[in-house]
Amino acid sequence: MYSVCLTFSHFFYNMSSQEIQFDEIISRYRSDPYDYVDMFAIHTGEVHFLVEENDVVQGRSGEWQHIAGSPLYEINRERNPKIISSQTNGTVSSVCQALEGQFVESGEKLLTIRHPLKKKEIIEAILQEVLFLFEAPERARYYFAMDIQSRIEQKGVRSVFIQPGDEIITMSLMKRDTPVFYDGEPGIIHSAYFQPGDSVDQGVPLIGVCPEEKVSLVQKVITRVKAEWE
Amino acid sequence: MSRSHVLRSRELALCQIDTSPFSPDQAEIILRYGAPVGSRLEYHGQLDRCMGRLQELMGAAEQKKQTLAAGTVVVAETLTRSMGRFARSWHAPAGGAWLAMAWPDTLLPEFARLLPFAVGLACCRAVRAVGVTADLKWVNDILVAGKKIGGILCQTVLSPGGERFHLLGMGINGNNTVFPDELVPVATCLSEELGARVDVSSFIGHLLAELSWSIGLLHYDEQLSLGQQTDRARSFPFVMQSWLAYCDSLGRRVEYGFDVQETPMYQALVLGVDPCGGLQMELDDGSLITESSGEIRYL
């Protein structure tokens, strides 16, 4: 379990008023071009840390993302130990050492990884604050519903308008296909974060949806960050 | 083929079903969970698709402010627009066993994900019951000496009123001995394997009895898990233990892909199946990978 700690309330405010404080956003990222990824206990159990502060860790790798990342901690519940690995590369910025060898509850924060952001990730992080993110309901493989896929193929992903109740994606788990219905705000699919057939973890965004009136604004953000971020 | 014959065969088969290794009391609980299978049975000479008909029935029931009965089964002698996953065409002429069942989504997600295994198990046991040695290829392809004798399509759908049902489609080649050219090398049927025609109604009755057992077993697994009567966290659900007894994928070299026919992704050695049904494989570089969806082709 992990989360990304980025706050953009100021940015949000300006987005809603259709104005963007580009300099402020850029300088914010220039002064701290990192993502802070908190790692939480995946379930109850006794915790033993496998890293220390300032250790460098790696995320998943391999052609199929099948090679586990650096081991971060072991959690043992009823003599069933599990090693939890890093999902991202970076440096361990803090470890809750007081919890070493202790029994923790599910969801307790255990450590934080400081992940250096690339330009593409910065654009995506900004966009993810602006777009409505539709997340994977379960760890499964996903593909677009046939109607959506054909519209994407004909017109491109950013021309596909969706609204609540639309069947947009099919979730495939153990050869059982389940339609996934959209429940966010109406808009166009601005970003697709998966390729049809990709395995996506629960809670990870599948698509980012942008209200039609904000499309040009979002494009402005991308252009500006691309131009200014070296 | 007739509806009454199917129902009579199901009742007979339920009395003869292999309930080992369970005690009579446990078997009774399991069969009680599976009892709704075939509670309503609709028989057609010809249909577009059995699953489509079930969706019509869902809508019709809700218009009358009712709910489609759990375990409603639709059987057809021929299907004109049948299809498999990824909109692959499915050849369903007269002589085969073509059916679909609606099962309400009452299982917890960790058990609902095992439904495709339970259905595969039921089909495989029913094929073996008529004397054909079938095996299961992960997840639920039914093969006889490497040739496909049956297929399963599982979908979860929302009824017009918003109720979730699992639609479990099953197709077993029975007396249909003629296949499209491209399927001839890879398909077989019961009559070809047995050297004699099969009684398709009787076979479907037997299949429904096996479905009662395997789906009942899945609900029994859930009951044990909720009651924590045993340390289920570290053991295999019974339905997976049974499924493994019929699976011939372990130790095989395979090609894996989400849609392995169109876009094969990699080759690997199958090491095992985890309690959640995930396929554990070893890649050529020695690293391990577990897949929870997709399909494999034996090499």
Side-chain angles (χ1 to χ4, degrees):
Chain A
M1 189 187 294
Y2 64 99
S3 75
V4 177
C5 303
L6 289 171
T7 52
F8 288 96
S9 54
H10 183 71
F11 177 62
F12 252 145
Y13 174 79
N14 284 317
M15 281 301 290
S16 62
S17 64
Q18 301 286 296
E19 291 170 16
I20 301 175
Q21 303 271 335
F22 282 114
D23 294 342
E24 199 169 320
I25 296 164
I26 299 290
S27 71
R28 186 187 298 254
Y29 274 106
R30 280 201 194 288
S31 64
D32 189 20
Y34 296 98
D35 201 357
Y36 293 87
V37 181
D38 291 333
M39 299 294 296
F40 302 92
I42 59 159
H43 55 58
T44 55
E46 190 180 301
V47 164
H48 291 281
F49 291 105
L50 304 173
V51 288
E52 296 175 352
E53 276 182 29
N54 299 319
D55 278 358
V56 174
V57 295
Q58 302 298 327
R60 286 188 157 275
S61 60
E63 188 178 359
W64 314 108
Q65 293 292 298
H66 57 283
I67 300 169
S70 308
L72 297 176
Y73 68 90
E74 182 186 272
I75 189 159
N76 193 330
R77 180 173 64 179
E78 294 183 0
R79 301 181 302 283
N80 182 20
K82 272 186 201 156
I83 290 180
I84 307 304
S85 302
S86 180
Q87 302 290 321
T88 186
N89 66 309
T91 306
V92 178
S93 61
S94 69
V95 177
C96 302
Q97 281 295 350
L99 298 175
E100 170 65 26
Q102 301 296 308
F103 185 88
V104 299
E105 294 293 336
S106 173
E108 181 130 21
K109 183 179 161 184
L110 300 176
L111 56 95
T112 302
I113 296 167
R114 195 173 70 159
H115 165 72
L117 290 166
K118 295 173 187 158
K119 181 163 77 173
K120 191 177 167 191
E121 290 175 310
I122 289 172
I123 292 171
E124 205 47 60
I126 293 171
L127 282 178
Q128 291 200 357
E129 291 297 319
V130 181
L131 304 176
F132 175 84
L133 300 179
F134 187 74
E135 297 169 349
E138 286 188 62
R139 182 175 189 271
R141 288 190 181 270
Y142 291 86
Y143 50 99
F144 283 110
M146 274 196 274
D147 171 51
I148 299 285
Q149 183 64 43
S150 70
R151 283 156 64 189
I152 289 172
E153 283 166 9
Q154 282 169 20
K155 300 176 182 173
V157 71
R158 289 183 188 165
S159 302
V160 179
F161 177 81
I162 57 173
Q163 54 191 339
D166 285 354
E167 181 186 332
I168 52 166
I169 285 170
T170 301
M171 177 179 80
S172 182
L173 182 62
M174 298 302 169
K175 268 180 93 177
R176 173 170 60 94
D177 292 341
T178 304
V180 179
F181 295 90
Y182 183 63
D183 61 0
E185 57 183 289
I188 60 126
I189 301 177
H190 186 276
S191 304
Y193 301 113
F194 71 102
Q195 291 293 319
D198 275 359
S199 181
V200 182
D201 284 339
Q202 184 179 25
V204 172
L206 291 167
I207 55 170
V209 177
C210 181
E212 279 182 299
E213 66 275 14
K214 284 188 179 171
V215 173
S216 58
L217 194 68
V218 164
Q219 201 49 49
K220 235 166 120 181
V221 174
I222 296 170
T223 310
R224 185 75 187 265
V225 175
K226 271 184 180 168
E228 299 217 7
W229 192 269
E230 295 304 327
Chain B
M1 184 151 68
S2 75
R3 181 179 177 280
S4 58
H5 190 172
V6 169
L7 292 171
R8 268 201 313 277
S9 301
R10 184 192 63 168
E11 294 312 310
L12 275 174
L14 275 171
C15 301
Q16 298 163 357
I17 208 158
D18 176 11
T19 60
S20 61
F22 298 95
S23 70
D25 285 350
Q26 287 175 310
E28 191 184 330
I29 295 169
I30 292 166
L31 286 171
R32 208 183 301 143
Y33 274 125
V37 170
S39 59
R40 176 180 171 188
L41 192 143
E42 217 184 67
Y43 168 81
H44 297 266
Q46 181 176 299
L47 269 182
D48 286 354
R49 298 184 66 216
C50 291
M51 284 183 164
R53 176 62 187 155
L54 283 173
Q55 285 180 294
E56 284 174 14
L57 290 173
M58 277 178 210
E62 288 180 354
Q63 278 187 345
K64 294 181 199 164
K65 300 198 182 306
Q66 295 172 349
T67 299
L68 183 65
T72 296
V73 170
V74 169
V75 180
E77 286 187 12
T78 60
L79 299 175
T80 54
R81 293 181 57 206
S82 56
M83 60 168 129
R85 299 180 73 230
F86 310 113
R88 293 172 187 158
S89 64
W90 179 266
H91 181 60
W98 322 119
L99 64 154
M101 181 175 77
W103 195 253
D105 181 25
T106 57
L107 285 160
L108 292 169
E110 56 266 43
F111 292 96
R113 68 188 287 155
L114 301 181
L115 261 173
F117 293 90
V119 180
L121 173 64
C123 290
C124 191
R125 280 171 55 121
V127 170
R128 285 200 183 190
V130 297
V132 175
T133 307
D135 295 301
L136 286 164
K137 184 179 74 169
W138 185 85
V139 173
N140 54 20
D141 283 334
I142 302 137
L143 305 181
V144 177
K147 289 186 168 184
K148 193 160 175 168
I149 200 165
I152 290 157
L153 184 63
C154 298
Q155 292 178 337
T156 303
V157 299
L158 275 186
S159 71
E163 200 168 348
R164 276 167 71 103
F165 278 91
H166 303 294
L167 300 186
L168 311 170
M170 290 150 273
I172 307 288
N173 296 323
N175 297 318
N176 51 313
T177 51
V178 180
F179 299 103
D181 289 347
E182 69 275 17
L183 295 182
V184 169
V186 292
T188 187
C189 63
L190 293 174
S191 63
E192 202 169 291
E193 296 298 324
L194 292 168
R197 288 180 68 80
V198 286
D199 179 340
V200 176
S201 297
S202 171
F203 175 78
I204 292 173
H206 206 108
L207 174 53
L208 294 181
E210 289 292 354
L211 269 176
S212 292
W213 176 256
S214 63
I215 289 181
L217 196 56
L218 188 53
H219 281 265
Y220 184 59
D221 273 320
E222 185 189 59
Q223 176 196 312
L224 293 181
S225 160
L226 291 170
Q228 296 179 328
Q229 290 177 14
T230 55
D231 186 3
R232 305 291 296 159
R234 278 181 295 143
S235 64
F236 267 71
F238 286 126
V239 80
M240 291 306 298
Q241 289 179 32
S242 301
W243 180 89
L244 274 170
Y246 294 90
C247 173
D248 72 345
S249 299
L250 275 58
R252 303 285 288 256
R253 188 156 175 79
V254 299
E255 188 160 49
Y256 169 85
F258 179 61
D259 175 355
V260 78
Q261 289 183 13
E262 289 294 317
T263 47
M265 289 165 66
Y266 57 79
Q267 296 185 359
L269 177 72
V270 177
L271 300 180
V273 175
D274 69 22
C276 303
L279 187 71
Q280 300 165 319
M281 293 174 282
E282 183 182 270
L283 299 180
D284 291 342
D285 64 3
S287 56
L288 305 179
I289 189 166
T290 300
E291 294 287 358
S292 57
S293 194
E295 53 193 11
I296 54 174
R297 180 162 56 196
Y298 291 154
L299 296 172

